[in-house]
Amino acid sequence: MKKLLQISLLILSLLLISYVYLKQDFKKTPPTLYTNGHIITLNQNQPFAESMYIEDGKIIEIGTNKQLEKYSSKSKSIIDLKGASVLPGFIDPHTHFSISMFLSKMHDLSGFKHNTNDEVWKDFESYVKKKKKGEWIICKGIDPILIHDLTPPSIEYLDKIAPENPVLFFSQSLHNYWANSKAFELVGINKKTKNPSNQSYYGKDKKGNLNGLIVEQQAVKPFFDILKKEVLTSKKLGIAASQVMSNYAKNGNTTIVSAGITIQDEKPLILFKHLSNYKPELLGSFLEKIGFLPERKQRPRHFMYMRYDMEHLMPKQTKKRNDFYDIIGIKHWYDGSPYTGTMYLKSPYLNTELTNIKMHIPINSKGKALIKKDSLKNFIRKYHLKGWQITIHTQGDAAINEVIDAFEELENELDYSTSRHRLEHCLLFPTENMDRLKRLHLTPSFHINHLYYYGDALKSDILGEQRAEKILPIKTIEENNIKYSLHADQPMFESNPFRLIQTAVERKTISGNILGKNQTTTTIIEAIKSLTINAAWQINMENKIGSLEKGKYADFIILNRNPLKTKPSELSKIECVKTFINGNLAY
């Protein structure tokens, strides 16, 4: 009886604590009138405005200063924008939030901070000296393309430098990894361990011994599992998640879309929902109170496509949409990365020192499909009939053609008239597919940073000039009135919308060379649309976000420069001064 009473009192205490925290909702936006601005609405009927009246997180009216004078007496505050430029908040349509928070605290050996092979390994060796015996050493950013003379690490080198510490390296592309003997030992992998698949495996030398290389997600999963237990605790991940969300908002993103959540159970979903959901929940509120979850405040909306192998985490399909946080679909991979040889091509990769030696791509390789076409068709059929949106990772021309074929072969069986299934990355997109895209209601999202950061290598060492000139055919997509979006694939690259916009407008590589000049986006406005109203359309939210219009959520950003009056070469220098989500200041 006494024990039952104690349990009852504990439950009552938790309910009281949670009730208090449940009351800590995001404050409703007080009536606010923003005046004297250059407001780029993206609304075709009213493309520009001077004033915007907001109440309870929604845009009540937008127009000229004179038209909105009537709201002056109703507003608790009138904010003079003093001619500042205002845009709808950006929507990152393809990011990896869970991996971003996972990597955020790792030591950076990327080409963004280092210029040469010597700099990378000198930094690594210095970092090892700071670590205690037995402590995990985790580094990110290994990239033989951005750092031209980089030699990927051998297991012998890693064992020599860190004999008493487990070491794990992440490539910049997040498709290759490297580990030392200590790390393999702790995870329980040896030369006799079976590879997860032909495309996801543990590299070996001529004698059959592990050489340190780990390829693709399935092979590295055992390392992730042990890191979550020993290094990246729930509390640490909560802090990292909060910081990563703040950085999205800092760059002007008011909505993010996770394309393939890499988790094993529903625990991270409690954190994700706590961060973005409009309404606090009982469990999340309690976990915040005891310090396991970060404080709730306005953060970007978060929508997710689950991985194909995480079906058990998919919720029951409902017609009611959560406008702040939701699982909206499911993702599969048909091919891999251009920088590991797993992109599936019609013609082989070039045979160069970069491809054959540094990237370990076999001579005359075309890559392969990661799954059988019939398996893809079964996947499409299953989730389309369940009402889920489907997104497929496709990089190479062979992969893209075969994925479109799969949708087409199901055309008489499935009704695509209201679907908006997506193709992701689309590096070498064959332009002869435009009619099929429109008929099948397929929509692409382009990884435009391939062009900026890797365009030179694609042209000289990976694909060759003829194919490199055809990558990312944005203008052809626009001319065929097909909606598309742009993305940075964070954490591969930072989610910086104006960097993406500048590349779409200029088609320049990091060295200044122009690739595919005839595929430049038609206007700056079209590039902006790809990260606002078009991206909203891709996730079925165009009636609520993506443009500044009466009745939509007040998701907007204030800029330090007008993008429509900025030289193309200066677009990436535009800064977001303030970010508002649901009318609340998020940055």
Side-chain angles (χ1 to χ4, degrees):
M1 186 70 180
K2 184 178 180 181
K3 188 173 182 180
L4 181 61
L5 180 61
Q6 288 174 334
I7 293 172
S8 299
L9 287 172
L10 176 61
I11 293 173
L12 180 61
S13 298
L14 294 180
L15 288 173
L16 288 171
I17 291 170
S18 298
Y19 174 77
V20 172
Y21 270 77
L22 282 171
K23 301 297 286 184
Q24 291 188 350
D25 207 342
F26 297 144
K27 292 180 180 179
K28 287 189 175 182
T29 310
T32 304
L33 178 62
Y34 293 86
T35 64
N36 300 316
H38 182 79
I39 303 173
I40 306 169
T41 69
L42 300 184
N43 179 358
Q44 291 182 348
N45 297 323
Q46 189 182 30
F48 305 104
E50 297 173 297
S51 292
M52 182 165 56
Y53 178 64
I54 294 169
E55 190 171 343
D56 292 343
K58 297 283 184 72
I59 299 172
I60 305 302
E61 193 168 343
I62 191 164
T64 64
N65 290 336
K66 187 173 182 179
Q67 288 172 331
L68 270 66
E69 279 180 355
K70 57 188 176 184
Y71 294 108
S72 297
S73 59
K74 296 183 179 182
S75 301
K76 285 192 175 180
S77 59
I78 299 176
I79 297 176
D80 189 344
L81 292 169
K82 298 179 180 179
S85 293
V86 177
L87 269 184
F90 288 118
I91 299 167
D92 186 331
H94 183 122
T95 192
H96 298 279
F97 173 67
S98 61
I99 301 177
S100 294
M101 70 179 192
F102 195 73
L103 296 180
S104 63
K105 298 300 181 183
M106 295 181 184
H107 191 65
D108 192 351
L109 295 177
S110 72
F112 301 112
K113 292 192 174 182
H114 306 83
N115 296 311
T116 67
N117 182 75
D118 288 343
E119 285 183 22
V120 169
W121 301 122
K122 184 177 179 181
D123 183 6
F124 167 65
E125 291 174 17
S126 176
Y127 183 62
V128 170
K129 292 176 181 178
K130 300 175 184 177
K131 292 292 183 178
K132 298 176 182 178
K133 179 180 177 180
E135 189 176 358
W136 273 90
I137 297 171
I138 312 170
C139 301
K140 62 182 179 181
I142 299 298
D143 192 343
I145 300 177
L146 289 183
I147 302 174
H148 302 296
D149 66 340
L150 184 69
T151 301
S154 66
I155 197 168
E156 292 81 10
Y157 169 74
L158 296 178
D159 288 347
K160 178 183 176 182
I161 302 303
E164 298 179 326
N165 296 79
V167 176
L168 182 65
F169 284 173
F170 290 67
S171 68
Q172 186 67 25
S173 70
L174 300 176
H175 287 267
N176 278 2
Y177 308 83
W178 293 265
N180 69 348
S181 297
K182 192 73 174 178
F184 278 111
E185 179 186 336
L186 287 175
V187 175
I189 293 171
N190 56 49
K191 65 180 182 180
K192 295 181 180 180
T193 301
K194 187 178 179 180
N195 290 325
S197 71
N198 291 333
Q199 289 76 38
S200 188
Y201 58 88
Y202 306 106
K204 295 178 181 177
D205 61 22
K206 293 179 180 179
K207 295 181 179 180
N209 296 315
L210 295 171
N211 65 10
L213 178 65
I214 305 163
V215 178
E216 293 294 354
Q217 300 293 312
Q218 288 177 296
V220 81
K221 179 183 175 297
F223 293 86
F224 282 5
D225 292 343
I226 199 168
L227 288 178
K228 289 174 184 176
K229 292 178 182 178
E230 297 186 5
V231 182
L232 297 167
T233 63
S234 297
K235 191 170 184 178
K236 287 181 179 178
L237 284 177
I239 295 170
S242 182
Q243 291 173 342
V244 170
M245 271 293 186
S246 294
N247 286 335
Y248 280 116
K250 181 180 179 181
N251 282 332
N253 293 295
T254 53
T255 297
I256 66 168
V257 183
S258 287
I261 289 288
T262 304
I263 56 177
Q264 299 304 315
D265 55 50
E266 63 183 5
K267 291 177 184 176
L269 298 180
I270 298 171
L271 168 64
F272 299 167
K273 192 168 188 176
H274 180 75
L275 290 171
S276 295
N277 202 28
Y278 181 68
K279 297 288 185 181
E281 294 200 331
L282 192 69
L283 179 57
S285 298
F286 173 67
L287 292 174
E288 177 189 333
K289 174 64 177 175
I290 62 177
F292 279 95
L293 289 181
E295 179 186 358
R296 270 176 53 81
K297 57 184 179 180
Q298 187 70 68
R299 294 182 176 90
R301 303 170 196 272
H302 189 187
F303 303 108
M304 295 177 288
Y305 298 98
M306 300 304 292
R307 284 174 57 100
Y308 67 94
D309 52 354
M310 295 290 111
E311 181 184 9
H312 59 286
L313 299 179
M314 300 282 285
K316 290 183 179 180
Q317 182 71 295
T318 64
K319 292 183 179 180
K320 189 176 181 181
R321 183 70 178 266
N322 183 333
D323 294 343
F324 291 80
Y325 164 90
D326 213 350
I327 293 172
I328 61 174
I330 192 162
K331 178 185 178 183
H332 214 317
W333 283 253
Y334 196 70
D335 69 349
S337 168
Y339 316 112
T340 62
T342 51
M343 175 172 67
Y344 181 26
L345 298 167
K346 291 196 291 185
S347 300
Y349 285 88
L350 296 184
N351 294 313
T352 64
E353 180 182 357
L354 177 63
T355 56
N356 300 145
I357 297 175
K358 292 187 176 182
M359 291 163 56
H360 304 287
I361 300 175
I363 294 174
N364 296 328
S365 173
K366 297 180 183 179
K368 295 179 181 179
L370 298 181
I371 58 171
K372 293 181 179 179
K373 191 175 173 185
D374 284 344
S375 296
L376 176 63
K377 288 170 66 175
N378 289 335
F379 174 81
I380 293 169
R381 181 187 294 110
K382 177 180 179 179
Y383 289 102
H384 178 88
L385 290 174
K386 286 187 174 184
W388 291 107
Q389 190 180 19
I390 297 165
T391 179
I392 311 290
H393 173 118
T394 52
Q395 293 275 24
D397 47 6
I400 293 166
N401 281 339
E402 290 185 13
V403 169
I404 296 175
D405 288 344
F407 279 98
E408 189 172 50
E409 288 166 16
L410 295 169
E411 187 177 9
N412 293 330
E413 180 182 342
L414 305 177
D415 180 8
Y416 296 130
S417 61
T418 59
S419 65
R420 300 177 187 182
H421 300 316
R422 294 175 44 169
L423 305 180
E424 304 301 307
H425 303 320
C426 304
L427 174 64
L428 201 55
F429 197 101
T431 55
E432 62 268 20
N433 287 304
M434 298 300 136
D435 289 340
R436 294 206 295 166
L437 274 191
K438 287 193 284 188
R439 193 179 75 249
L440 298 169
H441 295 266
L442 293 172
T443 176
S445 186
F446 290 109
H447 189 346
I448 195 71
N449 275 338
H450 278 308
L451 194 158
Y452 181 68
Y453 289 105
Y454 294 151
D456 295 320
L458 288 167
K459 180 177 179 179
S460 62
D461 292 290
I462 300 174
L463 295 177
E465 182 174 357
Q466 186 175 5
R467 284 185 290 181
E469 289 289 334
K470 296 179 180 179
I471 65 172
L472 306 160
I474 291 174
K475 189 172 184 179
T476 300
I477 290 285
E478 288 180 356
E479 290 174 341
N480 282 271
N481 296 314
I482 297 171
K483 288 183 173 64
Y484 71 94
S485 62
L486 303 175
H487 64 263
D489 203 22
Q490 184 175 307
M492 186 174 181
F493 299 105
E494 183 183 9
S495 180
N496 185 337
F498 280 110
R499 173 67 267 169
L500 306 181
I501 290 168
Q502 181 172 326
T503 300
V505 171
E506 289 190 312
R507 301 283 301 195
K508 284 186 178 180
T509 69
I510 198 168
S511 68
N513 291 321
I514 295 177
L515 274 183
K517 187 176 182 179
N518 63 335
Q519 290 296 341
T520 299
T521 181
T522 51
T523 64
I524 291 175
I525 281 288
E526 286 301 316
I528 291 172
K529 284 182 177 180
S530 74
L531 286 156
T532 49
I533 191 62
N534 286 2
W537 181 89
Q538 285 188 326
I539 58 172
N540 289 280
M541 286 286 287
E542 74 275 14
N543 293 327
K544 297 182 178 181
I545 60 175
S547 61
L548 300 177
E549 301 180 55
K550 181 178 179 179
K552 286 192 174 185
Y553 284 110
D555 291 8
F556 62 97
I557 56 178
I558 299 175
L559 308 173
N560 68 339
R561 297 166 70 172
N562 185 340
L564 303 184
K565 296 181 179 180
T566 300
K567 294 179 181 179
S569 60
E570 298 287 315
L571 285 168
S572 62
K573 296 180 181 178
I574 295 175
E575 294 180 3
C576 178
V577 178
K578 290 184 179 180
T579 299
F580 292 85
I581 302 169
N582 194 40
N584 294 314
L585 184 66
Y587 167 75

